[in-house]
Amino acid sequence: MAGGGRHRKRKLHFSKIYSFRCGKASFKEDHSQIGGPGFSRVVYCNEPDCFEAGIRNYATNYVRSTKYTLATFLPKSLFEQFRRVANFYFLVTGILAFTPLSPYSAVSAILPLIIVIGATMVKEGIEDWRRKQQDIEVNNRKVQVHNGNGVFDCTEWRNLRVGDIVKVEKDEFFPADLVLLSSSYEDAVCYVETMNLDGETNLKLKQALEVTSHLHDDGNFRDFKAIVKCEDPNANLYTFVGSMDFEGQEQPLSPQQLLLRDSKLRNTDYVYGAVIFTGQDTKVRQNATDPPSKRSRVERKMDKIIYILFFILFLISFIGSIFFGVETKDDLQNGKMERWYLRPDDSTVYFDPDQAALAAICHFLTAVMLYSYFIPISLYVSIEIVKVLQSTFINHDIHMYYEEADKPAHARTSNLNEELGQVDTILSDKTGTLTCNSMEFIKCSIGGTAYGRGITEVERATGRIRGSPLPSHKLNEASLSEIVTGPKSSVKGFNFSDERIMYGNWVKEAHAEVIQRFFRVLALCHTAIPEVDEETGKVSYEAESPDEAAFVIAAREVGFEFYKRTQTNISIRELDPTMGKKVERVYQLLNVIEFNSTRKRMSVIVRDEEGKLLLLCKGADSVMSERLAKNGREFEEETMEHVNEYADAGLRTLILAYRELKEEEYKRFCEKFNQAKSSVSADRDALMDAVTETIENDLILLGATAVEDKLQNGVPDCIDKLAQAGIKIWVLTGDKMETAINIGFACSLLRQGMKQIVIGLETPEIQSLEKAGDKTSIRKASKESVIRQITEGMFLVSSSSGSSNVFALIIDGKSLSYALEDDVKNMFLQLAMGCASVICCRSSPKQKALVTRLVKAGTGKTTLAIGDGANDVGMLQEADIGIGISGVEGMQAVMSSDIAIAQFRYLERLLLVHGHWCYRRITSMICYFFYKNIVFGFSLFLYEIYASFSAQPAYNDWFLSLYNVFFTSLPAVALGVFDQDVSARFCLKFPILYQEGVQNVLFSWSRILSWMFNGFLSAVIVFFFCTKAVELQAFNSDGKVVGLEILGATLYTCIVWVVNLQMALSVSYFTVIQHIFIWGSIGIWYLFLVVYGVMSPAFSTTAYKVFVEALAPAPSYWLVTLFVMISALIPYFAYSAIQMRFFPMYHGMIQWIRHEGQSDDIAYCDMVRQRSLRPTTVGHSARLAAKRAARKKHSQERNDHYG
Amino acid sequence: MKSPIYVYYQISNFYQNHRRYVKSRDDKQLWSPKNERSSSDCKPEDFTSNGQPIIPCGLIAWSMFNDTYKFSVKDKVLEVNKKGIAWKSDREHKFGSDVYPKNFQSGALIGGAKLNSSIPLSQQEDLIVWMRPAALPTFRKLYGKIEVDLEPNDNITVIIENNYNTYSFGGNKKLVLSTTSWMGGKNDFLGVAYLTIGGLCLFLAISFILVYVLKPRPLGDPSYLSWNRNAAGHLN
């Protein structure tokens, strides 16, 4: 019952049991800065309305993440639009089209621009509206706030003000940064889950000041008054300096009292807190950088091509203007008219021979407008349309739909689809991304015997590749699956199965006594709190970390059920081997010496029912082995062997040991320990460390546990595929180094035989400096040490280049902060690039973002960040592509990501299939767009040569403006949406195909320029063949000759045919839609010609009846079309045939394989795949290969030895 | 030569496709008497010095070709039929049958031909032909049709009235008599080009076949791949 639970908890004083965490804060040097610059914030708790609070005018608690507001939308988005050079250019030409300079009518020029801009703005608006919805949801969450009379009312988050007193209940998020005043516990501690901030899954213990800890009821706050002075808003999550003036006494405040927004209250019924930072001032918001607008690499390159086109455009306009100027000047010489029919004597300024220079300048503007058809106006909008459609493919891909959570993939911005095909480095979060954030007890080694038949994800993946049953599990498949799917698997956190131990069978084992002690340690040595369901009697646990829970659960499942904890006692039910039934035992809890990252172990001291004093200890193998007693090393060798095996399989291992204490020994310890504990000096922790050191010694080894930090489904496979595709994978995690390394092993990013370069600052010199507390010297020494380690690492890497040595870089957060400094970071990057895997542990959100930026800027390649928590937001935004995992950890990561997927494994399909396709489609489409516009633009220019550069277009106005819209764009859009070089199956079968994107071979300058050249060639062929064919002679049997309008329409017909057929040639995957679009576009041209031709001559001008009357009845028109069409396509056709035969690209080879029907020939496919596969360095394929090589070497050596 | 024999005049180096020239007309005025006022595009041939609109206005009409040809064979005059030399759509939908030339060629500077102001524009086929701007600086335009057959070795006497000034811009004038086939007039280009491209296709086809037979493609040879050729592409 809740009431009972509360009562029970109230009585617990954790602060007395815990050794380290609940220390008293003391004034440190930082506190002297309060009131000074950077520390000027003053908060009047419980008086948000008072005058002093009013004049300070702190930010409201409203949080805004949208790009636009209602007022700024129009100007800001228009500005965004016209920042694109091409759009700005079209705006200028659109305005100029209203002047007499224009070679065509203004309406036909401005209409496409309006359509293009409008469509883009609507899209922007819709996207921002979605963000707004999210903001509204967050800002309108409810919280209880003190209204002044000792009563707490519900109000929305956005209404909170600095100084408000709020009450937050269990499992609620904190609405702002609060100073903890009191909690449901007597000693005002509370547990906080900060997963959204730093990704750490263990609960943090916070404790209020003693002076406020008595405020347990709403009514207590009626007259509560306090003044908090503290630092100004900043982004550092782990520091807080302040003081509280309460009842006339100045009390120091530390991070221990600060509850951060977006973290969650756990295991505590309620807390009271005073609001210190609101809205944008909160630490989590300060950490959030502005959502940057991302543009893909391809698009940035496309901009460059557009600049090139602009250059060509201005160049030919300039050339044209010079010729025009010269010819115009020649028209009138000494009053004698040359081209008299132009009346140069009585001319406008645009054609005035007397002012030829001015006329040439005006002509330049006109020409710039005329040749605007070089710039594909519809390119941007076509790309946007294509990307939206591509995104719907991604969103609707059934293979990326996570059925269990009903979550499909969701491309939140469609800007980056093709970037997915170019990823060079993946930066991944760990918790919740690679792992499911659940720990499972899976194996153990007790008394030198390994137990546990569960199979880890890694073993499963390696086993699958090997294609044979796992050697260590020689059971047949049937019994194996029986065990895996047995009834135990329903227990969360427990995946252990071994009939030798379970169901009370352990008593029959050889080391039954050791096993008993082993599980007792698991049941006693922890800080979890049991919760008994009154109805079923089932016990569940609330632990600080999931692995701790896994231990207690494991103990329970084996038969050592921990069910009750009081201030001083721990009660367990266990099987008594002599009586053969369950008995309840109560252990008196004397001390808890907790785990921390330096100690790497945890101990409890208990007194059992017989009065024996026991020290139970669990810890990392590195620290435990040196603490074993001489007579306690009985099973050491076997155990260590097992531990290594487990660690290589990516399991978290802990060594369990115990010792019996003598009464007087404990007494001595107790005395010293209490002395150390109550000291208030700065080196209190060190003192306590020293004391505990003395007692955690001479331990007797019991065994080792292996907990699987459960990887998400398919993660090793996915990583393997990605590694085969040549993508580098970095892991950035807020977790501990050991954990990170374990996961590295689990997903085959690390393996035995890989040289680990570990960069850390846990060296004795620096620790001693830290004790001295001189900040500058710590900094200096730390930096020096980091630089030294990096140089050493680089030396190692460079000295072994060429050999088969593979390196892994592991760096912790503290060192990282030095390694990321400007003068070191390039060295660091260089070292990291030389390593096959990089793992950064204990990194803050900001560091994650900085690392991402470093990789992005340093390598110049595409980076992809993937994460699921709010601590990954910075990284997601910084990377070229941010992928959010829409898992359990809230929505922040998803909201700031570009694409959200439900599981890490979908990344494989997202990148290798969709990424590759999108990249290919977009690049082909862009190349094609440039091609078709160059064909058209150059045909205009070539005509100018024959029109004395007077800027007379060869085509009718509406032919001109509709070229990009109707007759050529749709097939390109269809190509961008539907084309695929090889099917999804082949994309996954030949992952190296992905390198086409990474190396950008489809969008290299040579490819782009050859497409442009192809366009130029087509234009020349079309223009000259057309004009030569219809030049002078009668055009039809009626003796009529070709005029401007007929030549224009003929040229245009040929161009429409040529560019559409060119499209048909470059499509590699025809769907009905492509047929409809390609042939439809050509059909529409004829239809348009007819329809436009029958409109009144006032509107259709030169196109009036041109098709019906002149073109259609004339056989020469059709013959010319056919001829020009074929000749213009020959160059490309010959080129692609030769390339396919002699210089095939990788996709060409795969197409060939499929075409020849050899895809079923496994050996053959393997040959192609193997031979094109670069040696990968990470992933389980690589692990297998390395193992094989090692075994071969080993046997060879043996042979040598015996031979 | 079988009738009809088409009579063309050919002018070179004449930029009928100059933008100033092409724009210098007023289609509305040509179509309906209601739109008598010339558009500003027609400048400087839009209004007479006393403000009367010129019909047809603009440089094109003003500079109309005005050489005349008189043909005779064996002293027998060959009639040149000038009916039906313009496109039907022009005659019926662009040049009004109730629009008559007004104030045409009345300025100080006379450009080319004069028009009979009692004949409506729709029947002034010379004008209509001239008003369709040619595409290229060297062009032919239909002068008329001779509707009698000419025998081989007939001597045709042409009396040319050389009115039109092409000297100032260095252009040539030519007179062309031509018959037509189903494909129009004679031009070797298309035939030659068809043969050339056809030959090229044949050559390519044969060489591809030869390559296919003699040297089958080494399937899936990865040494072609850029990242296998290029050592820098290697991981690490």
Side-chain angles (χ1 to χ4, degrees), chain A residues 517-693:
Chain A
R517 288 208 182 103
F518 181 90
F519 283 103
R520 265 189 202 153
V521 173
L522 287 188
L524 294 171
C525 181
H526 55 77
T527 55
I529 300 163
E531 259 179 22
V532 185
D533 188 323
E534 307 255 314
E535 279 166 33
T536 59
K538 274 224 142 217
V539 190
S540 59
Y541 305 103
E542 287 198 43
E544 288 177 28
S545 65
D547 39 355
E548 192 150 78
F551 288 136
V552 195
I553 290 167
R556 180 188 73 195
E557 294 300 311
V558 174
F560 296 80
E561 187 180 38
F562 159 58
Y563 69 97
K564 197 169 152 198
R565 178 192 281 277
T566 65
Q567 175 88 43
T568 52
N569 291 329
I570 296 178
S571 313
I572 57 175
R573 275 186 211 111
E574 60 173 65
L575 190 73
D576 191 315
T578 49
M579 291 195 283
K581 61 172 191 177
K582 289 215 167 179
V583 290
E584 295 188 359
R585 288 202 180 158
V586 182
Y587 293 85
Q588 194 189 346
L589 182 63
L590 301 172
N591 290 90
V592 179
I593 312 170
E594 305 102 295
F595 192 93
N596 67 29
S597 57
T598 44
R599 285 167 39 80
K600 292 182 184 168
R601 61 186 183 273
M602 167 187 182
S603 307
V604 292
I605 300 174
V606 294
R607 192 190 292 279
D608 71 4
E609 286 181 331
E610 288 113 58
K612 266 196 283 185
L613 276 170
L614 294 171
L615 179 129
L616 310 175
C617 185
K618 61 181 185 193
D621 48 38
S622 57
V623 293
M624 292 298 279
S625 63
E626 65 202 36
R627 283 171 219 288
L628 294 180
K630 277 201 189 85
N631 59 350
R633 296 173 182 265
E634 198 182 330
F635 325 107
E636 197 187 2
E637 198 181 327
E638 296 95 325
T639 310
M640 284 307 160
E641 201 173 293
H642 292 149
V643 165
N644 285 338
E645 214 171 88
Y646 296 154
D648 192 30
L651 303 175
R652 291 192 192 197
T653 57
L654 283 180
I655 301 279
L656 269 53
Y658 81 107
R659 78 179 274 210
E660 285 181 27
L661 295 176
K662 296 193 186 74
E663 227 26 84
E664 58 270 32
E665 193 180 2
Y666 177 68
K667 223 174 254 168
R668 241 181 298 132
F669 163 75
C670 214
E671 225 166 79
K672 277 196 209 155
F673 189 65
N674 286 337
Q675 213 172 7
K677 204 174 164 183
S678 55
S679 79
V680 283
S681 61
D683 54 353
R684 166 173 168 271
D685 284 6
L687 269 175
M688 281 164 62
D689 252 347
V691 176
T692 56
E693 195 87 358

Side-chain angles (χ1 to χ4, degrees), chain A residues 957-973:
Chain A
D957 288 357
W958 286 98
F959 291 4
L960 285 172
S961 69
L962 297 182
Y963 175 77
N964 279 325
V965 184
F966 280 146
F967 308 129
T968 55
S969 275
L970 286 181
V973 170

Side-chain angles (χ1 to χ4, degrees), chain A residues 924-1040:
Chain A
S924 308
M925 182 175 125
I926 294 173
C927 286
Y928 175 77
F929 255 94
F930 290 128
Y931 164 79
K932 79 180 174 66
N933 279 65
I934 281 179
V935 175
F936 195 61
F938 261 108
S939 72
L940 280 169
F941 176 70
L942 291 171
Y943 185 72
E944 286 317 289
I945 297 174
Y946 289 91
S948 90
F949 296 98
S950 60
Q952 170 61 33
Y955 315 115
N956 184 292
D957 288 357
W958 286 98
F959 291 4
L960 285 172
S961 69
L962 297 182
Y963 175 77
N964 279 325
V965 184
F966 280 146
F967 308 129
T968 55
S969 275
L970 286 181
V973 170
L975 173 90
V977 177
F978 296 108
D979 196 40
Q980 33 183 277
D981 49 351
V982 298
S983 65
R985 196 164 65 89
F986 281 88
C987 281
L988 294 172
K989 199 166 177 180
F990 301 96
I992 199 79
L993 181 60
Y994 190 76
Q995 281 292 316
E996 283 194 350
V998 179
Q999 312 212 348
N1000 211 358
V1001 285
L1002 298 182
F1003 209 52
S1004 58
W1005 281 112
S1006 61
R1007 191 176 153 92
I1008 295 163
L1009 292 178
S1010 46
W1011 266 103
M1012 288 184 165
F1013 178 71
N1014 187 22
F1016 174 71
L1017 212 58
S1018 296
V1020 169
I1021 291 173
V1022 168
F1023 182 78
F1024 284 105
F1025 284 11
C1026 266
T1027 50
K1028 285 291 166 215
V1030 299
E1031 198 174 22
L1032 288 170
Q1033 83 283 14
F1035 171 70
N1036 57 13
S1037 57
D1038 202 20
K1040 302 281 194 298

Side-chain angles (χ1 to χ4, degrees), chain A residues 1029 1119 1123, chain B residues 183 187-198:
Chain A
L1119 279 173
F1123 163 69
Chain B
M183 260 199 71
N187 183 350
D188 293 338
F189 175 79
L190 205 55
V192 172
Y194 256 102
L195 287 176
T196 317
I197 297 295

